[in-house]
Amino acid sequence: MLVGGALLASTSWSQTFDAKARALDGDTVAVDFRLLGVDAFERGQLCRRVSGCWQCGKAAQDFAANALRSKAATIRLVPSSSYGRPVAVVTVDGADLGERLIRAGLATPQASYLRDDPARLRAYSAAFASARKQRAGAFAGDWIEPSRWRHGDRLSCER
């Protein structure tokens, strides 16, 4: 597993954390991480364009999966958790995965989680402004904040 390998590549790296894990097979364990300061559209979430509703949540998942596929990821844990999962900054090929998701119009920045990281807040805010200006991804039409969607708000095409 490339992500796990990246975590263990440095012999000086040592940190423990609590997380729900699952076995991929007998000797491979996977742990989910939340991205710091990023709220991506949920897997089942729809967004609306002029042509109709589309699976923006699935698009966000596919974007992240493609970014991680066959590449080493650097995962930097931060001292917090969200929804019972560790929180991390994930970098792939030198690019911040959260910033890439935001710039693609598939996630929104979460400023309240970035108070201790003003440089990342500026980068995420600039990526968000760029996505909105270019009408990238969900920003080409109507969408609901992922946090509101998780609480039951839906576009009319999702009802």
Side-chain angles (χ1 to χ4, degrees):
M1 188 166 137
L2 290 174
V3 173
L7 274 174
L8 300 175
S10 171
T11 57
S12 64
W13 189 87
S14 177
Q15 182 174 358
T16 62
F17 58 92
D18 294 323
K20 288 187 177 185
R22 63 189 181 284
L24 299 179
D25 61 31
D27 61 359
T28 306
V29 175
V31 175
D32 296 330
F33 295 93
R34 296 267 311 156
L35 294 177
L36 174 67
V38 176
D39 200 6
F41 296 107
E42 298 295 326
R43 183 176 34 213
Q45 187 171 355
L46 299 180
C47 295
R48 184 175 33 231
R49 292 183 182 146
V50 172
S51 60
C53 282
W54 62 285
Q55 297 178 331
C56 56
K58 179 72 169 108
Q61 179 186 22
D62 290 347
F63 184 94
N66 287 332
L68 292 165
R69 185 169 286 121
S70 302
K71 295 183 176 105
T74 301
I75 298 170
R76 184 179 58 81
L77 293 173
V78 297
S80 65
S81 67
S82 177
Y83 297 99
R85 287 175 261 165
V87 176
V89 173
V90 176
T91 306
V92 181
D93 285 342
D96 181 316
L97 179 59
E99 183 177 347
R100 289 182 61 196
L101 278 160
I102 294 167
R103 191 170 302 282
L106 299 172
T108 62
Q110 300 299 292
S112 61
Y113 295 102
L114 296 169
R115 282 178 277 201
D116 295 333
D117 196 343
R120 190 170 314 281
L121 175 58
R122 283 189 299 276
Y124 284 11
S125 296
F128 185 69
S130 174
R132 288 188 76 121
K133 182 178 180 183
Q134 294 178 7
R135 301 183 53 78
F139 309 128
D142 297 323
W143 52 280
I144 292 176
E145 288 279 346
S147 60
R148 288 184 37 221
W149 192 89
R150 286 190 297 275
H151 287 100
D153 287 355
R154 299 290 186 269
L155 294 171
S156 59
C157 62
E158 293 182 281
R159 294 184 196 132

